[in-house]
Amino acid sequence: MRLRSRFFILLLLPLLPLTAAHGTDWNALANDPEWQALLHVNRGATLHGRGESYVDDKRFFIAENGKRNPQHELAATVAALEPAGAEARCRFPARYAFLARRLGWSESQPLAHCTEYNEWRRQIPSARAVLVFPASYLNSPSSMFGHTLMRLDASTAPENVWNSWAINFGAVTTGQDNSILYVWRGLAGGYPGLFSIVPYVSKIQEYSNLENRDIWEYTLKLEPAQINRLVDHLWELRDINFDYYFFDENCSFRLLELIDVALPESNVIQGLRITEEPVNTVRTLYRHDLISERVYRPSKASELQADIDVLTPQEQKLARQLLRDPAFPRAEEFLAQPADRQHLMARTALRTLRFRERKKERSDASAEIGIQLLYAMQATPAPDVTIPPPAPPENGHDTQMFTLGGGRLGTENFSEIGYRFTYHDLIDNPDGFLNGAQIEGLSVRLRHSESSSLKLESLDLVNIRSLSPRNAFIKPLSWFVQAGWERVPAQDERALASFVQGGAGLSWRWGPVQPYALASLRAEHESGHPRFIAPAAGGSLGLLWYHRAAQLNVMADGLRFEGGEYRYRGQAEVNVPLGRHDALRFAWQQEHWPGDHVQEISLGWRHHFP
């Protein structure tokens, strides 16, 4: 195509759909799924910007209005890439490959002049692509949904994973924001998002070793040519900004866009998405039959817990002594144990030491203890301790929930409907989730009783609980935060009050039972209260019990407000799964306040859906 022809196309674009320049249906080419995928065009996956590119960086486009018009961007790209030796080819190798196939461009080495690109490309492996899912992490609200990234392997041999590279999309933060502020800004699109390519071993260190997150790896059914197209497109995305949104345009959504580049005809991001949670990305890939293998990689915390679980109480005592005394590996009491048990105790002590110091500089004293423990392990045979994989995250219940039920409050019957936008509470079906973890967002209940019409019973904007079990080796803090509206006792009625409440405490685990104790602070606003904001302090004692057939939460809590007003409450909830996405929930509650009390019982059906 000559230069005059290219200018002819550019001049006609604003006026006509391109239909027949030099035998090419330009309008069809601009709507080709591969071209749309290369531009990251929103084909209806999210509410805003349909028909426009998700990319928010002008450097990604050649045409002035390329973000909003794929046809104009196509013509500008053809004009920029067709000349032999064009510098723009070095910037857009994936676009060039697409146009060369469609327009019949034929050169033996069309990118030979692209020195920087060719050097980069030689470093990036492309034998296999693997989706990686670091699972939920209890003590960070920004990580409780999990995360997804992609791994590129140089070969299919498992031992070569340490030479692999990781593709990650994440928010560019200052490092000064705490977890709650991170979530807030992420919800509002307050961060730019960038793709990065780093050694995979650094991600294992970050997620498995530092953050104690189990890792699930899903091998993708991608051919070498498809992986090469994906990698070439990554070059086009270097330092290119996207808006980052915590719920929809996040790490998982961007990875689906990359897979869309590799497999444009599959359109894995088809259909409207209000949210794109990491686990739903895994489910999407299974639904499109794009996963050939799943591998579980336990975190350092899981490895340590597996060792602790097989130690007897006496062996746990000796392992703790190993942590305190560098000379204890040579003590008679320790050496009297069987050799394989010596190894297990020394390994448990060493893993505990590394766990405690994973985020701080190692002291001389701990270094000496670590050396002695390594000597003890080297001199003894290692026992075989298996770590059974938990249920994979994609086997868990769906994200949203609808509930329908009824019950009795005092002397009145009531019926109730509810909806929860996301995600999981303490006693929902635990398959695929962490025990003791709860993260609920936008949970609403509406109630109709014999004496009143339909009213708002409660609305939780956020309700997060992290009950991390402690033991003799690991001592995490448990905590919770909750904010929204709920009905509270007020004179002769139950009034709607807004509140913010949070606290911290301790939790333990004894087999399937998990007791906990939390202290709390609350700020409440209710129109009938003499103070605009009523502060309160209190605490709660509770017990969780997990079984495949049912889950139980029993709790007693109390609050004392300024001025002496108090509220005490005892409650019990039983969840009975009816399958993966359905359950029956029985609840009992007894509440006391000055001069009165009331009892409530209810039974509800809960249904989870995507």
Side-chain angles (χ1 to χ4, degrees):
M1 191 181 296
R2 296 177 179 175
L3 185 62
R4 181 180 300 174
S5 300
R6 295 198 300 271
F7 282 119
F8 176 72
I9 294 171
L10 290 171
L11 288 172
L12 285 181
L13 269 172
L15 304 175
L16 299 171
L18 299 179
T19 57
H22 293 266
T24 300
D25 187 339
W26 295 99
N27 190 58
L29 193 61
N31 288 287
D32 186 285
E34 185 174 343
W35 179 249
Q36 299 257 315
L38 287 169
L39 294 187
H40 295 256
V41 173
N42 176 5
R43 290 180 272 174
T46 56
L47 289 171
H48 51 86
R50 184 164 186 167
E52 300 180 3
S53 173
Y54 288 111
V55 181
D56 300 291
D57 195 322
K58 291 183 178 179
R59 295 172 298 165
F60 183 71
F61 304 100
I62 299 176
E64 183 66 27
N65 64 340
K67 175 179 173 65
R68 295 175 176 81
N69 195 314
Q71 293 176 324
H72 287 196
E73 185 65 15
L74 173 64
T77 303
V78 170
L81 300 188
E82 185 187 8
E87 198 59 34
R89 293 183 183 182
C90 305
R91 178 70 184 86
F92 296 106
R95 292 194 197 184
Y96 176 82
F98 166 75
L99 292 172
R101 292 196 313 271
R102 293 295 194 274
L103 300 179
W105 298 347
S106 57
E107 294 181 41
S108 59
Q109 293 182 312
L111 304 178
H113 62 291
C114 303
T115 304
E116 186 181 358
Y117 159 75
N118 288 319
E119 183 178 345
W120 175 87
R121 189 64 184 82
R122 282 191 291 269
Q123 298 177 43
I124 306 300
S126 56
R128 179 173 61 179
V130 179
L131 183 83
V132 180
F133 182 96
S136 304
Y137 171 43
L138 268 174
N139 275 328
S140 171
S142 61
S143 302
M144 290 180 80
F145 287 103
H147 180 57
T148 48
L149 58 149
M150 189 180 294
R151 193 184 78 216
L152 297 174
D153 297 341
S155 75
T156 57
E159 63 271 15
N160 287 333
V161 70
W162 304 104
N163 298 320
S164 299
W165 288 78
I167 304 167
N168 188 65
F169 179 82
V172 181
T173 67
T174 62
Q176 304 300 314
D177 296 345
N178 59 39
S179 294
I180 301 299
L181 183 58
Y182 169 79
V183 172
W184 171 252
R185 293 188 64 181
L187 290 173
Y191 294 115
L194 288 174
F195 279 99
S196 61
I197 304 180
V198 298
Y200 183 58
V201 66
S202 68
K203 287 299 176 182
I204 293 177
Q205 174 70 14
E206 176 183 352
Y207 293 121
S208 178
N209 299 0
L210 295 181
E211 294 189 355
N212 311 318
R213 296 164 72 167
D214 291 343
I215 294 177
W216 296 86
E217 300 171 344
Y218 303 87
T219 301
L220 301 178
K221 295 180 181 178
L222 294 181
E223 300 296 330
Q226 296 164 339
I227 298 175
N228 286 329
R229 181 160 61 240
L230 183 153
V231 173
D232 280 349
H233 184 59
L234 282 172
W235 173 263
E236 299 176 346
L237 296 176
R238 291 180 311 147
D239 302 321
I240 295 298
N241 288 311
F242 294 76
D243 284 342
Y244 180 90
Y245 291 92
F246 189 72
F247 274 133
D248 53 2
E249 295 182 42
N250 53 23
C251 61
S252 294
F253 186 83
R254 296 290 173 236
L255 287 185
L256 284 178
E257 286 188 281
L258 281 186
I259 295 171
D260 223 26
V261 170
L263 291 167
E265 298 296 336
S266 68
N267 193 10
V268 293
I269 57 172
Q270 67 184 342
L272 179 63
R273 282 171 156 75
I274 304 300
T275 65
E276 184 55 49
E277 293 175 5
V279 68
N280 288 339
T281 297
V282 178
R283 291 169 181 158
T284 296
L285 297 177
Y286 268 113
R287 193 162 55 247
H288 284 80
D289 192 27
L290 292 177
I291 293 176
S292 62
E293 183 184 18
R294 179 180 64 210
V295 175
Y296 169 66
R297 187 186 297 277
S299 68
K300 294 300 181 183
S302 295
E303 291 176 343
L304 171 57
Q305 189 60 55
D307 280 354
I308 294 171
D309 289 343
V310 297
L311 291 176
T312 67
Q314 176 62 20
E315 288 172 336
Q316 290 189 21
K317 180 181 177 181
L318 295 178
R320 294 196 300 273
Q321 185 64 25
L322 289 171
L323 281 167
R324 294 189 292 267
D325 183 0
F328 193 70
R330 297 181 296 278
E332 183 178 341
E333 184 180 5
F334 178 72
L335 295 174
Q337 308 301 314
D340 61 335
R341 306 305 290 182
Q342 290 180 39
H343 186 104
L344 182 58
M345 288 182 281
R347 189 173 69 190
T348 302
L350 183 63
R351 284 177 168 172
T352 301
L353 189 67
R354 297 289 183 260
F355 180 86
R356 292 176 180 176
E357 296 185 338
R358 67 194 185 280
K359 294 184 179 180
K360 62 183 181 181
E361 191 172 342
R362 191 174 304 169
S363 66
D364 292 341
S366 67
E368 174 61 24
I369 291 173
I371 290 172
Q372 298 304 319
L373 292 173
L374 285 171
Y375 285 149
M377 291 170 60
Q378 189 178 28
T380 53
D384 184 21
V385 176
T386 59
I387 304 176
E394 69 271 16
N395 284 7
H397 62 71
D398 279 335
T399 303
Q400 300 181 74
M401 185 199 69
F402 169 78
T403 180
L404 178 66
R408 188 172 183 85
L409 175 65
T411 59
E412 279 196 333
N413 296 322
F414 65 84
S415 56
E416 189 173 87
I417 60 171
Y419 165 78
R420 185 179 69 199
F421 180 60
T422 191
Y423 171 59
H424 179 77
D425 73 15
L426 288 174
I427 59 170
D428 277 332
N429 189 336
D431 283 352
F433 295 88
L434 289 174
N435 290 350
Q438 170 175 300
I439 180 165
E440 294 186 290
L442 194 60
S443 179
V444 60
R445 291 188 299 143
L446 301 174
R447 180 175 290 186
H448 178 274
S449 68
E450 293 175 330
S451 63
S452 66
S453 57
L454 192 67
K455 289 183 178 180
L456 178 64
E457 180 66 18
S458 67
L459 170 59
D460 282 336
L461 298 177
V462 62
N463 188 354
I464 301 174
R465 291 178 182 264
S466 173
L467 303 180
S468 300
R470 300 163 65 89
N471 56 44
F473 299 88
I474 309 173
K475 302 183 184 298
L477 190 69
S478 295
W479 57 272
F480 79 98
V481 62
Q482 186 177 5
W485 288 261
E486 67 179 3
R487 296 281 170 181
V488 300
Q491 298 177 354
D492 297 329
E493 62 174 354
R494 299 173 69 249
L496 192 65
S498 57
F499 71 97
V500 175
Q501 187 170 349
L506 309 177
S507 177
W508 302 265
R509 180 171 294 154
W510 304 319
V513 176
Q514 185 172 341
Y516 58 91
L518 301 168
S520 62
L521 296 173
R522 179 180 175 106
E524 179 179 294
H525 168 70
E526 190 271 306
S527 58
H529 199 278
R531 295 195 60 174
F532 184 78
I533 298 293
S540 59
L541 295 173
L543 183 143
L544 295 167
W545 177 75
Y546 291 101
H547 190 273
R548 291 196 63 85
Q551 299 80 46
L552 168 71
N553 183 25
V554 179
M555 185 176 71
D557 63 1
L559 287 169
R560 184 163 291 271
F561 288 81
E562 188 180 42
E565 180 187 346
Y566 65 84
R567 289 185 209 141
Y568 301 140
R569 179 177 56 185
Q571 63 182 45
E573 287 187 288
V574 179
N575 190 77
V576 181
L578 303 178
R580 177 178 166 189
H581 303 300
D582 295 276
L584 291 178
R585 179 71 62 93
F586 171 79
W588 167 88
Q589 178 176 290
Q590 179 93 27
E591 189 167 17
H592 296 260
W593 64 96
D596 209 347
H597 68 277
V598 68
Q599 176 176 272
E600 177 182 319
I601 57 172
S602 64
L603 179 65
W605 165 66
R606 298 160 71 89
H607 174 67
H608 295 88
F609 60 97

